[in-house]
Amino acid sequence: MSSSTEPARPLAPHPDRLFPVDPGARAVARTIHEHVRDAPIISPHGHVPAEMLLDDAPFADPASLLITPDHYVLRLLHANGVALESLGRMPIDGSGTVPPGRATDGRATDGRGAWRELATHWDDFLGTPVRFWFETELHDVFGLTTAPSAADADEQYYLLDAALRQPSMRPRALFDRFGIEVLATTDDPASDLTAHAALAADPTFRGRVVPTFRADAVFDPSSPAWRHAVASVGEAAGIDTGTHRGLLDALRARRQFFIARGATATDTGVIDAGSAPLSEADRERIHAAALRDPSAVSAADAVAYRHDMLYRWAEMSCDDGLVMQLHAGVIRNHHRPTLARFGPDSGHDLPAVGSFTEPLRPLLEAFGTVAGFHIVLFTVDETVFSREVAPLAGFYPAVYAGAPWWFIDTPAAIRRYREAVTDSAGFVKTSGFIDDTRAFCSIPARHDMARRVDAAYLADLVVTHQISEEDAVRTAERIVSDIPRATFKL
């Protein structure tokens, strides 16, 4: 925790951060990074809403931009004793106190308390990727030259707020400044995608924002939200979803709707990668029972239905060409009291033990060698990379090794990922970096982190005479451009 009396500390990210200690390897890493440092950003998986870019309104305040939507920040501050209410997360029952508005001088006070908490706990982030991102973001995007501290928190907050009032800090201007070429959003299957259509038709917007079809809510018939999700998909498609066959038809129709508006991928988050298919009779039986009363569906039937839906998802991707992203192995909403008070996405999702080889066998035996089918496997259990994900990608044409995600999108874990997957799968059968963020201003910092780590890894291959420097530069360029384009059909 920072002291309120300590002198201001400079904020100046080192130009050689994350590069090798060995001088020769460091020099090669600098050369490699120089070739990709300013390359356009391709972000094929994230959670920034298209509406933000369509409206292009000034950001409300620094805390709601930098702290409140970022679950990485929320969870670590909460772990160090900061209440979620103090960070801008209001209880869903409306019992919280709404922060005050603007002071008479026009400066923002809405999130000042949240910023004070971050500044006071700044050193709690030492050694974490969040600290790395924040230092780069605050220095490069906002121009701060001193680190957050309790003593200077209010003044720094006012500086950040003043910066956000500038036209150069509005969403579209930042999109251009960050060099984002493609940004994928994550969207409900019943969404009308109005913002995407408007952005695509807007001649003043030069970027490319593509939707991603996320239909997890229809996978689990034991969920209280399942019936509503099934009905909303049917309503959006104009197809009766009272039968499982009807649901599949409605999902196919909605996928086509997304494809017509630029989608190239789906995304699926499940607790496990089981993919055993069911007979049509069993699918219809469970579907009908769940429509009557989801609470009456047995745990075994709910799991079997979810596994079958994953199989059907691959089947649909083989038909319509959408890339299938599979984010498996996260236990959602681990702390029930926090879920009840604040709702989901409040910082207490946790990793589970991962597995793909056997769970995905039914799906891959049916579709793993189908031309044009792509399935990108993501895990938060990094022991799975060398044991399962890389070997699968090293045999099946359809399988790609997704980049470290969520709990392991850190400099050290990205390095371990490269060491784990390259032997079996090389570089081409990977995804490119995935920022997976709701925190818009952290996108360039996260991508630069990955580019630095990859430059360091490639430099080590050069100095140990495994590849040439020319190959290393070309590979780094492919990792940020050709590989994500090909993997996600962009």
Side-chain angles (χ1 to χ4, degrees), residues 47-219:
H47 301 280
V48 173
E51 289 78 7
M52 183 191 75
L53 292 164
L54 176 64
D55 298 340
D56 199 32
F59 294 106
D61 65 81
S64 65
L65 174 64
L66 301 174
I67 298 174
T68 307
D70 195 330
H71 59 80
Y72 293 86
V73 178
L74 291 182
R75 68 189 310 275
L76 196 54
L77 287 173
H78 181 269
N80 282 281
V82 180
L84 291 178
E85 294 96 325
S86 300
L87 302 173
R89 286 299 297 260
M90 291 297 101
I92 57 179
D93 62 5
S95 62
T97 301
V98 177
R102 291 187 173 273
T104 54
D105 62 1
R107 297 192 295 185
T109 61
D110 307 60
R112 188 169 53 185
W115 183 260
R116 285 174 180 163
E117 295 286 6
L118 174 73
T120 301
H121 289 266
W122 182 242
D123 282 351
D124 293 344
F125 291 93
L126 272 172
T128 70
V130 180
R131 175 76 171 246
F132 182 94
W133 298 329
F134 249 129
E135 288 181 344
T136 304
E137 183 179 359
L138 293 176
H139 181 272
D140 293 357
V141 179
F142 291 92
L144 287 190
T145 56
T146 59
S149 67
D152 297 327
D154 285 356
E155 188 57 36
Q156 286 187 327
Y157 187 82
Y158 291 144
L159 290 173
L160 293 171
D161 181 66
L164 289 179
R165 303 306 112 207
Q166 303 303 312
S168 61
M169 295 295 286
R170 289 172 71 158
R172 293 194 186 190
L174 289 175
F175 189 97
D176 291 340
R177 177 179 165 190
F178 294 163
I180 300 174
E181 183 174 312
V182 182
L183 179 71
T185 62
T186 302
D187 306 275
D188 186 273
S191 172
D192 61 13
L193 301 181
T194 298
H196 290 84
L199 280 174
D202 186 345
T204 67
F205 181 69
R206 296 185 295 275
R208 182 181 175 193
V209 179
V210 299
T212 301
F213 194 74
R214 180 76 178 256
D216 295 2
V218 303
F219 276 49

Side-chain angles (χ1 to χ4, degrees), residues 281-301:
D282 281 336
R283 298 199 304 269
E284 294 293 358
R285 173 183 58 80
I286 300 170
H287 188 91
L291 286 178
R292 289 192 299 270
D293 181 8
S295 66
V297 176
S298 71
D301 275 351

